[in-house]
Amino acid sequence: MIGKSSINLAFAICLVTFQTMIAHGASAKELKVLSEQTAKGFGHVESVAYDPKGKVLYTSDFGPDLKPADKDARGKITKVSLDGKILEDGFLPVKGQVLNKPKGIWIKGNRLWVTDIDSVWVFDLKTKKGKKLDLPDVTFANDVTVMDDALYVSDNRSDQLVRVEPADFLESKADPKITVVFKEKSINPNGVYSGKGGALMMVGFKGKDDPRGIYSMLPGKEPELLSDKIGMLDGLYVMSNGDVLATDWVSGSLFQWNKTMGMKKLAADFKGPADFCAFPNNKGLMVVVPDLVKGELRFVQLGN
């Protein structure tokens, strides 16, 4: 006879295994949307990032005007609960700091990085201390990611990717080193994310009639197109098995992609699906997609 404790233990092991498979892409199965919820009350949200230490979200918000290149000093970072409630509107910037049209966010430890047109900021989430770094020749700094001790910033309008070293320059006395990784490769990189084997993954965003796809770039190598040219791609998340989640403005969707099945839409009817975040929960994988045009956050629960 199997005891109750053994059954409970087996169930717990199965649950943890299921969550791990979803979160880290161990399963090759297509993901399914289990539920969707929408949170309103924002300005124009371009990016959302998950803080695993604080168990909260941070959004980059243009404010009332959808003018992504205007230096109007009306941008902000807002702290949001995992069910979409605004915890602190205008968490950043504080007095003496100015954000215009903040876009891609990356969080690691107590640090938050965010791009802003022709610059990138790094902030301390505890003290709110921040430091701005101007990026020469960058005209539309978009997404940002940290790999090892380097910060990568995409610029889709001038079709380039730059690297900043060290990534955490908040307390640096010397100016960080800024390197152009590539320029004018017809990629127009938007979302960036770390991939397998030290690869940097990217998705491209240009125009409806000039679509871009999913790209991978290994250290010292040229960027490689992995997918078909899909559309105007924005946000990006890479699972450990190499499957990609991304957003597309042309189809107005969040989709899953791998080389075997190609592109599979998961959630649709977005007007401006921008830079999202994803994190595991007790049902599988929660994806929070900002709709830049509508000024909303959509919580998309995924599972197998």
Side-chain angles (χ1 to χ4, degrees), residues 76-137:
K76 60 185 177 180
I77 306 294
T78 297
K79 189 176 183 178
V80 181
S81 70
L82 298 186
D83 58 359
K85 294 183 177 65
I86 294 176
L87 300 175
E88 191 171 344
D89 190 16
F91 174 83
L92 293 167
V94 297
K95 187 177 180 180
Q97 304 167 348
V98 174
L99 288 174
N100 297 295
K101 299 297 180 182
K103 298 180 179 70
I105 300 177
W106 189 264
I107 293 173
K108 183 178 181 181
N110 292 325
R111 295 291 193 257
L112 180 150
W113 292 264
V114 62
T115 60
D116 190 6
I117 303 177
D118 54 7
S119 63
V120 62
W121 281 83
V122 58
F123 291 98
D124 186 294
L125 287 173
K126 288 186 176 181
T127 66
K128 298 188 180 182
K129 180 180 179 180
K131 188 174 184 179
K132 177 184 176 183
L133 177 67
D134 292 326
L135 300 171
D137 301 321

Side-chain angles (χ1 to χ4, degrees), residues 229-286:
K229 292 187 176 181
I230 296 169
M232 299 166 65
L233 308 187
D234 197 321
L236 173 65
Y237 177 82
V238 182
M239 306 176 82
S240 64
N241 70 344
D243 278 20
V244 167
L245 299 180
T247 49
D248 172 34
W249 283 58
V250 175
S251 60
S253 69
L254 166 73
F255 67 89
Q256 179 186 5
W257 177 91
N258 62 43
K259 288 187 177 181
T260 301
M261 74 177 183
M263 174 186 178
K264 181 206 172 185
K265 293 180 187 178
L266 296 170
D269 299 321
F270 293 95
K271 286 190 175 180
D275 184 33
F276 62 91
C277 71
F279 55 92
N281 61 12
N282 60 2
K283 295 181 180 179
L285 189 69
M286 175 61 74

